[in-house]
Amino acid sequence: MFNKRSFLAIVVSIIVVGTSTYSFLLYLDRKEYRNYLQAQYQRSLYDLISNVDGIQVSLSKAQVTATPKQALILFGDIWRQASIAQDKLNSLPISHQAIGQTTKFLTQVGDFCYSLLKTVNSGQSLTEADMNTVEKLTDFAGYLNVQLHELEREISAGNIDWTEIKDQGSSTFNRNLAETVDVKFERIAKELQEYPTLIYDGPFAENVLNIKPRVLKEKEVSLDEAKKIAADIIGKERVASISQYSDKTSDKVPTYALSVKVRGRKDGDINIDISKNGGHLVYMLDSRSVGKETIKIKKAVDIGIKFLEKHGYKSMIPTYALKYDNVAVINYVYVQDKVVIYPDQIKLKIALDNGDIVGIEAQHYMIAHTKRDIQKPRISVDEARSNVSTKLAIKNVRLSIIPMESMKEVFCYEFYGEYKGEKYIVYINAMDGTEERILKLIDTPNGELTM
């Protein structure tokens, strides 16, 4: 019988369940908000690091530029990136007292470079004092860069939680976290004697992707033909089966995305993309584990060249090599009539345990490669050399074709040299002597440049 006691029990149950559900929903909302904040702060830190990277590199380039046109571009970039970096820094949950000096530095870099931009634009020359200041700012930007990367690593390793820092004051633990970040920035303001660390990913990698793929003019191949091409590349004797796992029609270069099961291997398939136009290899990744290194980088470079020649990519030379987890990552560039064609590049990953090709990225080559009509330079190498800063100790000169943001290719003399222990490449237009581009080469702990 439904009596008063039963009624009360039901009411109490409803209240308990309702309260529990409400508390759980609040917990989910709070968790979601914390995740959102964490992502926002992570992004701000990433953008801050990216802009400080850019400031440091542009300041370095400014020291070796010899033309007003390049100087205007570089100082304009620094001014813009300094402003963005300040905005990102101030959006992080760090006390203004701690970041005061860093903010001041970014403001001074931006203001100083803006003043240099106006000086150059008015036709005046920069003084020796101006360039000395640029050099000092480069050193400090390098130190700031190192410290920011270190902070990012600590956060990624779980040692620091941005949301805990934002809630500082709620506990001694949270206050300690906040102090950790504050101390980091206070140290940045005091110390200047460090060196920068950046990752160098080969010249002109992004410019090429903006060009309309030339391979799209070639005849389309069928899925079965693509499977045969994939089997030939991997080795028919190694292939147990091939299946299509995706149809990448929206990619820059449309491909058949294939998955290859290897005979005698229980896991770790090979993914390989074959272009629908022309049936060319665009991408490959073998996910097998790589054992202890038994092959040196130099031998891996030769293995890569032989692999490319075997599969129709002839006249390729290495431009740089890096090493990660016993795998060599090597960039190869096409050469025509002794001219280095930077748009036509292929990246290989070679396992250093037995020399297997475990990764290929050939999209740049597919997009840009064609037979070019290369004219003779209108200016001599000595005339071009006169347009390179005398500060650069030139070690090597060769002709090259580089891609520009305007989608055009430019025929250049490539001057490779050093200034104060740093490596640079200066590109002088071989037709009119314009200083087209300056690249700074950065060695990493994982690799060496092969120029």
Side-chain angles (χ1 to χ4, degrees), residues 97-146:
Q97 184 180 1
I99 63 173
Q101 288 298 319
T102 307
T103 302
K104 183 180 176 183
F105 166 72
L106 293 171
T107 302
Q108 289 179 337
V109 168
D111 290 347
F112 180 68
C113 288
Y114 184 63
S115 71
L116 296 185
L117 188 154
K118 289 194 294 184
T119 300
V120 174
N121 194 44
S122 65
Q124 300 177 55
S125 300
L126 300 181
T127 65
E128 187 175 345
D130 288 334
M131 297 314 296
N132 288 338
T133 303
V134 168
E135 191 172 333
K136 289 178 182 175
L137 291 174
T138 306
D139 290 340
F140 190 54
Y143 174 74
L144 176 59
N145 201 5
V146 170

Side-chain angles (χ1 to χ4, degrees), residues 152-302:
E152 183 188 40
R153 282 195 294 274
E154 289 181 15
I155 291 172
S156 299
N159 297 329
I160 298 173
D161 184 330
W162 286 116
T163 57
E164 296 283 359
I165 294 170
K166 185 177 182 297
D167 295 333
Q168 63 174 300
S170 61
S171 70
T172 303
F173 173 69
N174 292 341
R175 283 196 296 274
N176 289 340
L177 279 174
E179 286 170 3
T180 300
V181 178
D182 282 7
V183 167
K184 173 76 69 180
F185 277 91
E186 286 169 3
R187 194 165 68 236
I188 286 171
K190 293 176 182 175
E191 299 185 27
L192 306 176
Q193 302 302 316
E194 292 290 344
Y195 296 94
T197 301
L198 289 175
I199 294 174
Y200 182 78
D201 195 28
F204 317 114
E206 296 304 318
N207 299 24
V208 176
L209 294 177
N210 293 325
I211 301 171
K212 185 177 180 179
R214 300 183 191 278
V215 71
L216 297 183
K217 297 177 182 176
E218 297 188 29
K219 183 181 177 183
E220 193 165 315
V221 300
S222 67
L223 175 60
D224 286 340
E225 289 172 314
K227 288 181 177 179
K228 289 179 183 175
I229 293 167
D232 287 339
I233 292 170
I234 294 172
K236 292 177 182 176
E237 70 286 354
R238 299 179 63 203
V239 175
S241 65
I242 301 180
S243 60
Q244 183 182 13
Y245 70 90
S246 179
D247 193 19
K248 298 183 178 179
T249 54
S250 61
D251 281 7
K252 193 82 176 175
V253 178
T255 61
Y256 296 107
L258 307 175
S259 180
V260 179
K261 290 196 176 298
V262 180
R263 292 185 194 279
R265 191 191 291 183
K266 293 182 180 178
D267 53 6
D269 293 349
I270 299 175
N271 291 337
I272 182 167
D273 291 0
I274 303 297
S275 68
K276 292 191 172 183
N277 297 90
H280 301 287
L281 170 63
V282 179
Y283 172 83
M284 188 196 85
L285 181 63
D286 184 347
S287 58
R288 79 165 175 87
S289 60
V290 177
K292 187 177 178 182
E293 175 184 336
T294 62
I295 295 173
K296 298 300 180 186
I297 288 281
K298 187 175 179 181
K299 185 175 180 182
V301 168
D302 294 336

Side-chain angles (χ1 to χ4, degrees), residues 367-401:
I367 290 173
H369 182 63
T370 186
K371 177 74 173 177
R372 292 167 175 81
D373 180 19
I374 302 175
Q375 306 292 318
K376 287 186 177 179
R378 287 183 190 157
I379 65 172
S380 69
V381 65
D382 289 337
E383 289 173 318
R385 190 190 299 266
S386 67
N387 290 336
V388 179
S389 170
T390 54
K391 293 180 179 178
L392 194 71
I394 297 171
K395 305 291 184 182
N396 189 38
V397 185
R398 63 186 180 187
L399 288 167
S400 65
I401 287 178

